[in-house]
């Protein structure tokens, strides 16, 4: 079952299943590589109430509301962190 | 003043671009912070401002480059604002999109898409859009070495074959591979069809999905991902963006910048100041005496006007250069994007997105380019609010006056006083921003924080020097003329007597037109503790340019060697004496009130011109009234409360 990204433990890899945000935000996220099917993780929270999203080697900071608009399916623990990231 | 160029380059309007390109035109496009401006500088030998943070380029740069030496292949190169694609979400992105997609205009002959290998999916999405337009294109693949270290391995030959566009791997920061790119551009021009109007752009959702699928297929084929090790960027970010240490690190970084600026600049200013007030003034005086003008008003104009003005301008240079240098190091290293994240909550309290921090931090160098940098914000009301707040960022011009005042009244803790002014600047921005949000912009929504954190990189001396030089030169070319003109105009006003008093150039300053004009506004400053005409006169002059405040004092007090703010000597004593008198002995509250007023009131006419361009005359006038009101109220509170403690 996909869960909101805000509820997924830090450092857990997850596949994005749905994004419930306005179209322009979805497009902005997609520009940064955050879209359906992407494997992401949240390595840490930051000062200022934001979160870092890791997409492969890239890092994007988003606020809590944006992160809460993303639902993802956690990847099974033994899965390697390599692989294709769009 | 960052967006200034050598004669070969300049910021061009869309009309200029479409009508003035006699040569064939190359457009550099790509996501923000992909290295466009660095590549532009390499291709054209220009010195456009670059930085390792999104939104460095908010205007179009135009230059000329020769891509194949010897065969006359000179072409116009356009450096367009960063855009994630041709479906824009901010005015600077819209500009880029319109230039490439408007089929009624002649499009660039070749589009060079800069693709950052560490963010290859993002870059390929842009490539897919340019490809759909059908215009000749070349891909410049940057950061390939960084990508490899982060586990992203790109097969350039496969990539070229898959996307059917030449791909040139290069490093514009170190000028590697740039000539190969030039060759590829020339080849593309030679083989391309004559008509470059291309196809209309399809921005439908279906087309977007199709493009993402295309990107995915390319990545599957040409890119492999190794296990990405924990990079040192991740390790540094664990501290730089930490909830506890992030804000502390931000304060320490900014404190260090201002401490270094004030401490390092002082001895350099000494040398320059002494040079102008000593040898230069002596030589000019001797020369004028030899030609029989030693007793004329011309000697006063040259010594107290021109030499004082030029000397003051030059003595500012170390201060400006060190400040610009340190900010450039922060920009090029990638730290500023982290600072935007750390300050996000503060920005949101004002209804602004975290990204609004970027133009605000530029304002600490100079307010003029900061106003232009508001274009990175997508929402018009966010841009307006940010542009109204930028004048409260304490620019480096105000720094010179802080240093003089701090050295005069707080000699043992001058650095801390200067730092306090910068902290106060931030507090004023937050409070005024919050007040505006709560009153005029109650319905304004907040823009979400979505900001990319680029990998940290070691700042390169060539690039840092370049940025510093562009900004120093910008300061000299814009502020220089204003300062010199102000100093000379001031000399005339101070040399012109009121009717019935003395004669021109032989008048006591207190009987001059300048004194009379200053005295008319002086009563307004009585509740602030500095209702002395010399002090208020300096503030009036400071409306034109803050750098001219010190020269105004120097000329008003007729003190010959006033040009080193850190070692003000006689000027210090004269200012102290007047403030003691006007504040009835409450010197320290009056000094703080003066500093607060100086910080908060209108920065300079150049900033007003930039504001008028970005937000219109009506809002600019509103801004001036607000700045004067805030400055007066805060300074009054500081003096009234301070003098009662």
């Amino acid at each position: 079952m996909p869960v909101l990204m805000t509820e997924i433990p830090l450092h857990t890899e997850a596949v994005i299943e749905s994004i419930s945000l306005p179209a322009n935000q979805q497009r902005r996220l997609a520009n940064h590589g955050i879209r359906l099917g992407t494997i992401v993780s949240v390595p840490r929270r930051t000062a200022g109430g934001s979160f870092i999203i890791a997409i492969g080697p890239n890092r994007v900071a988003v606020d809590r509301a944006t992160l809460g608009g993303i639902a993802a399916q956690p990847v099974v623990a033994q899965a390697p962190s390599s692989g294709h990231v769009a | 003043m960052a967006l200034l160029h050598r004669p070969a380059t300049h910021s061009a309007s869309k009309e200029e671009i479409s009508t003035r390109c006699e040569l064939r035109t190359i457009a550099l496009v790509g996501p923000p912070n992909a290295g466009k401006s660095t590549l532009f500088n390499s291709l054209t030998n220009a010195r456009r401002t670059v930085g390792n943070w999104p939104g460095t380029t908010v205007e179009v740069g135009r230059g000329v480059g020769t891509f194949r030496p010897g065969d006359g292949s000179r072409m116009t190169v356009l450096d367009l604002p960063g855009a994630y694609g041709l479906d824009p979400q901010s005015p600077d992105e819209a500009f880029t999109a319109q230039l490439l997609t408007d089929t009624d205009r002649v499009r660039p002959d070749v589009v060079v898409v800069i693709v950052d290998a560490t963010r290859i999916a993002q870059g390929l999405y842009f490539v897919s859009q340019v490809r759909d337009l059908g215009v000749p294109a070349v891909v410049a693949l940057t950061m390939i070495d960084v990508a490899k270290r982060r586990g992203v391995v790109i097969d350039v030959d496969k990539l070229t074959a898959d996307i059917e566009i030449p791909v040139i791997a290069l490093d514009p920061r170190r000028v590697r591979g740039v000539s190969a790119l030039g060759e590829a551009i020339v080849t593309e021009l030679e083989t391309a069809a004559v008509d470059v109007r291309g196809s209309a752009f399809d921005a439908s959702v279906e087309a977007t999905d199709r493009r993402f699928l295309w990107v995915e297929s390319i990545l599957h084929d040409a890119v492999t991902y190794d296990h990405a090790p924990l990079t040192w960027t991740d390790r540094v970010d664990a501290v730089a963006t930490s909830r506890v240490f992030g804000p502390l690190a931000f304060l320490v970084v900014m404190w260090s910048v201002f401490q270094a600026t004030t401490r390092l600049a002082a001895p350099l200013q000494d040398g320059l100041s002494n040079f102008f007030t000593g040898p230069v003034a002596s030589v000019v005086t001797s020369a004028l005496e030899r030609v029989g003008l030693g007793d004329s008003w011309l000697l006063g104009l040259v010594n107290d006007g021109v030499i004082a003005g030029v000397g003051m301008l030059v003595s500012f240079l170390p201060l400006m250069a060190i400040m610009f240098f340190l900010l450039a190091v922060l920009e090029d290293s990638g730290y500023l994007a982290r600072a935007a994240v750390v300050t996000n909550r503060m920005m949101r309290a004002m209804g602004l997105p975290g990204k609004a921090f970027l133009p605000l931090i530029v304002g600490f160098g100079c307010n003029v380019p900061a106003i232009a940098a508001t274009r990175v914000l997508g929402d018009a009301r966010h841009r307006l609010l940010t542009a109204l707040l930028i004048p409260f960022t304490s620019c480096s011009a105000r720094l010179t006056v802080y240093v003089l005042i701090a050295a005069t009244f707080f000699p043992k803790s001058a650095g801390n006083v200067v730092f306090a002014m910068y902290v106060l600047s931030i507090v004023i921005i937050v409070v005024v921003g919050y007040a505006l949000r709560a009153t005029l912009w109650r319905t304004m929504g907040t823009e979400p924080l979505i900001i990319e954190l680029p990998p940290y990189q070691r700042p390169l001396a060539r690039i840092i020097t370049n940025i510093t030089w562009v900004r120093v030169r910008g300061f000299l070319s814009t502020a220089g003329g204003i300062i010199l003109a102000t100093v000379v105009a001031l000399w005339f006003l101070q040399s012109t007597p009121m009717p019935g008093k003395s004669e021109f150039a032989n008048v006591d300053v207190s009987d001059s037109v300048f004194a009379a004009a200053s005295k008319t506004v002086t009563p307004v400053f009585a509740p602030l503790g500095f209702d002395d005409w010399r002090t208020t006169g300096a503030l009036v002059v400071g409306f034109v340019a803050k750098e001219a405040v010190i020269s105004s004092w120097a000329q008003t007090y007729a003190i010959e060697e006033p040009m080193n703010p850190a070692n003000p000597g006689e000027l210090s004593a004269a200012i102290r004496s007047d403030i003691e008198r006007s504040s009835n002995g409450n010197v320290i509250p009056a000094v703080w009130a003066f500093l607060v007023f100086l910080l908060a009131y209108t920065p300079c006419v150049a900033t007003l011109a930039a504001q008028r361009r970005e937000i219109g005359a009506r809002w600019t006038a509103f801004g001036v009234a607000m700045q004067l009101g805030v400055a007066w109220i805060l300074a009054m509170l500081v003096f009234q409360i301070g003098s009662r403690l």
Side-chain angles (χ1 to χ4, degrees):
Chain A
M1 276 290 286
V3 289
L4 295 181
M5 286 288 293
T6 44
E7 294 167 11
I8 295 177
L10 296 181
H11 303 289
T12 304
E13 288 195 328
V15 182
I16 296 178
E17 300 257 318
S18 68
I19 301 178
S20 307
L21 292 168
N24 63 333
Q25 265 176 268
Q26 287 196 36
R27 186 172 289 173
R28 183 59 91 205
L29 288 171
N31 285 334
H32 290 294
I34 302 168
R35 60 189 206 89
L36 299 187
T38 308
I39 299 172
V40 297
S41 65
V42 177
R44 67 186 160 275
R45 293 172 183 161
T46 73
S50 318
F51 295 82
I52 305 286
I53 299 182
I55 318 105
N58 301 327
R59 304 289 179 265
V60 177
V62 300
D63 55 73
R64 172 177 279 277
T66 301
L67 192 72
I70 304 172
Q73 176 70 52
V75 174
V76 181
Q78 67 269 25
S81 60
S82 59
H84 158 64
V85 174
Chain B
M1 286 172 240
L3 300 169
L4 296 164
H5 316 290
R6 286 156 51 155
T9 68
H10 71 278
S11 298
S13 70
K14 195 162 46 190
E15 289 70 25
E16 278 183 294
I17 291 162
S18 57
T19 57
R20 294 180 55 181
C21 296
E22 302 87 2
L23 303 172
R24 306 194 83 174
T25 306
I26 313 301
L28 306 183
V29 300
N33 198 35
K36 288 180 299 303
S37 297
T38 311
L39 180 58
F40 174 82
N41 290 344
S42 298
L43 288 171
T44 62
N45 291 321
R47 288 196 168 113
R48 192 162 169 75
T49 294
V50 297
N52 184 21
W53 53 288
T56 308
T57 305
V58 291
E59 293 186 352
V60 177
R62 181 175 176 272
V64 174
T66 302
F67 291 169
R68 188 188 278 161
D71 73 351
S73 56
R74 277 162 56 81
M75 294 173 220
T76 299
V77 183
L78 302 179
D79 178 20
L80 301 182
Y84 292 102
L86 300 176
D87 29 19
Q89 293 184 38
S90 65
D92 51 327
E93 287 190 10
F95 188 97
T96 297
Q98 198 179 354
L99 195 79
L100 296 187
T101 59
D102 191 346
T103 50
D104 293 337
R105 294 176 188 278
V106 176
R107 288 175 177 166
D109 295 284
V110 175
V111 175
V112 177
V113 187
I114 289 85
V115 173
D116 178 343
T118 63
R119 298 175 286 154
I120 186 157
Q122 191 182 73
L124 286 178
Y125 177 69
F126 205 141
V127 170
S128 73
Q129 295 184 322
V130 171
R131 199 167 165 268
D132 286 353
L133 290 176
V135 294
V138 175
V139 169
L141 186 63
T142 62
M143 307 279 278
I144 198 163
D145 50 338
V146 179
K148 195 173 179 181
R149 284 200 297 274
R150 301 174 80 182
V152 182
V153 182
I154 299 167
D155 185 329
V156 176
D157 292 335
K158 259 189 190 173
L159 188 62
T160 302
D162 287 349
I163 67 174
E164 298 168 326
I165 291 174
V167 178
I168 307 297
L170 48 78
D171 181 354
R173 281 166 60 79
R174 293 175 177 80
V175 203
R176 290 177 193 150
V178 175
S179 56
L181 177 69
E183 278 291 334
I185 291 169
V186 173
T187 305
E188 194 65 17
L189 272 174
E190 287 170 351
T191 56
V194 175
D195 181 10
V196 293
R197 282 178 181 272
S199 316
F201 179 65
D202 182 357
S204 66
V205 175
E206 294 75 25
T208 303
D209 282 342
R210 183 170 44 76
R211 290 186 189 111
F212 274 124
L213 286 173
W214 179 82
V215 170
E216 210 161 312
S217 69
I218 300 294
L219 292 171
H220 264 302
D221 193 47
V223 183
T224 51
Y225 294 86
D226 295 335
H227 180 71
L230 190 65
T231 62
W232 70 280
T233 287
D234 288 319
R235 293 191 188 97
V236 175
D237 271 351
V239 175
T241 63
S242 146
R243 283 187 291 177
V244 177
F245 296 108
L248 288 176
F250 171 71
L251 284 176
V252 168
V253 166
M254 300 317 287
W255 181 84
S256 304
V257 166
F258 301 125
Q259 280 289 334
T261 302
T262 49
R263 285 178 187 275
L264 293 177
L268 298 170
Q269 284 182 298
D270 271 342
L272 287 167
S273 176
N274 292 338
F275 176 70
F276 274 88
T277 55
V280 173
S282 300
V283 167
V284 171
T285 303
S286 307
L288 288 174
E289 282 171 349
R290 270 201 298 276
V291 295
L293 294 170
D295 294 328
S296 73
W297 60 267
L298 190 64
L299 181 64
L301 173 63
V302 172
N303 264 347
D304 300 334
V306 178
I307 292 179
V310 173
M312 182 186 70
L313 184 67
V314 174
S315 73
F316 288 157
L317 288 183
L319 205 62
M320 297 292 185
I322 292 169
M323 168 71 91
F324 290 147
F325 178 87
L326 294 172
L327 286 179
V329 169
L330 291 181
E331 282 181 43
D332 199 41
S333 69
Y335 177 73
L336 285 191
R338 278 75 184 176
V341 172
V342 168
T343 56
N344 178 53
R345 185 168 282 163
M346 189 170 73
M347 290 289 117
R348 290 173 86 83
M350 297 182 278
L352 290 173
K355 208 160 63 165
F357 171 78
L358 299 175
L360 287 172
I361 198 77
V362 173
F364 284 100
C366 175
N367 287 184
V368 178
I371 299 282
T374 57
R375 290 181 217 166
V376 299
L377 302 173
D379 187 295
R381 287 189 295 179
H382 291 156
R383 287 197 297 279
L384 174 57
L385 180 53
T386 309
L388 288 173
L389 293 176
I390 282 170
F392 295 115
T393 57
S394 189
C395 66
S396 47
R398 278 170 266 203
L399 178 62
T400 55
V401 191
Y402 298 156
V403 172
L404 182 140
I405 295 289
T408 300
F409 294 94
F410 312 98
K412 289 183 179 168
S413 53
N416 291 333
V417 169
V418 172
F419 179 63
M421 293 312 296
Y422 283 87
V423 173
L424 183 63
S425 168
I426 294 170
V427 171
I428 292 176
I429 290 165
V430 173
V431 172
V432 173
Y434 187 78
L436 288 175
R437 170 80 199 284
T439 53
L440 297 180
W441 280 281
R442 271 178 294 186
T443 58
M444 183 169 72
T446 52
E447 193 174 289
L449 175 78
I450 302 174
I451 189 168
E452 175 209 342
L453 301 178
Y456 287 109
Q457 60 189 14
R458 187 168 50 84
L460 287 182
R462 184 177 62 82
I463 290 186
I464 300 300
T465 310
N466 198 15
I467 297 171
T468 306
W469 169 236
V470 167
R471 289 180 177 164
V472 167
R473 197 184 53 198
F475 165 73
L476 282 174
S477 63
T478 55
I482 293 173
I483 292 170
L484 195 56
T486 305
V487 170
V488 171
L490 195 61
W491 182 87
F492 273 103
L493 287 173
Q494 291 177 338
S495 301
T496 306
M498 289 299 286
K501 306 246 183 183
S502 193
E503 60 182 28
F504 180 72
N506 187 23
V507 56
D508 189 287
V509 182
S510 59
D511 293 330
S512 68
V513 170
F514 176 77
S518 299
K519 283 171 187 171
T520 59
V521 296
T522 296
V524 175
F525 294 94
L528 282 59
F530 46 88
D531 57 329
D532 177 83
W533 69 267
R534 294 172 185 84
T535 310
T536 54
L539 289 175
V540 171
V541 172
F543 194 90
V544 179
K546 288 289 167 289
E547 298 91 335
V549 168
I550 297 175
S551 69
S552 168
W553 265 329
Q555 286 176 281
T556 304
Y557 289 110
I559 289 167
E560 286 185 356
E561 299 186 8
M563 292 187 290
N564 175 12
N567 185 18
E570 287 180 68
L571 182 60
S572 161
I575 295 170
R576 175 181 281 278
S577 165
D578 273 342
I579 289 188
E580 269 176 3
R581 186 162 35 77
S582 63
S583 65
N584 294 320
N586 295 302
V587 178
I588 298 304
V591 168
W592 278 109
F594 179 83
L595 285 171
V596 168
F597 191 89
L598 186 89
L599 162 65
Y601 88 114
T602 309
C604 64
V605 287
T607 299
L608 295 185
Q611 274 188 317
R612 187 173 177 277
R613 191 175 61 167
E614 298 297 329
I615 61 175
R618 194 168 59 94
W619 281 111
T620 301
F622 170 82
V624 171
M626 178 179 71
Q627 292 145 23
L628 290 172
V630 168
W632 191 90
I633 290 169
L634 287 179
M636 185 269 292
L637 288 173
V638 166
F639 180 71
Q640 294 299 332
I641 295 171
S643 59
R644 283 166 174 73
L645 291 177

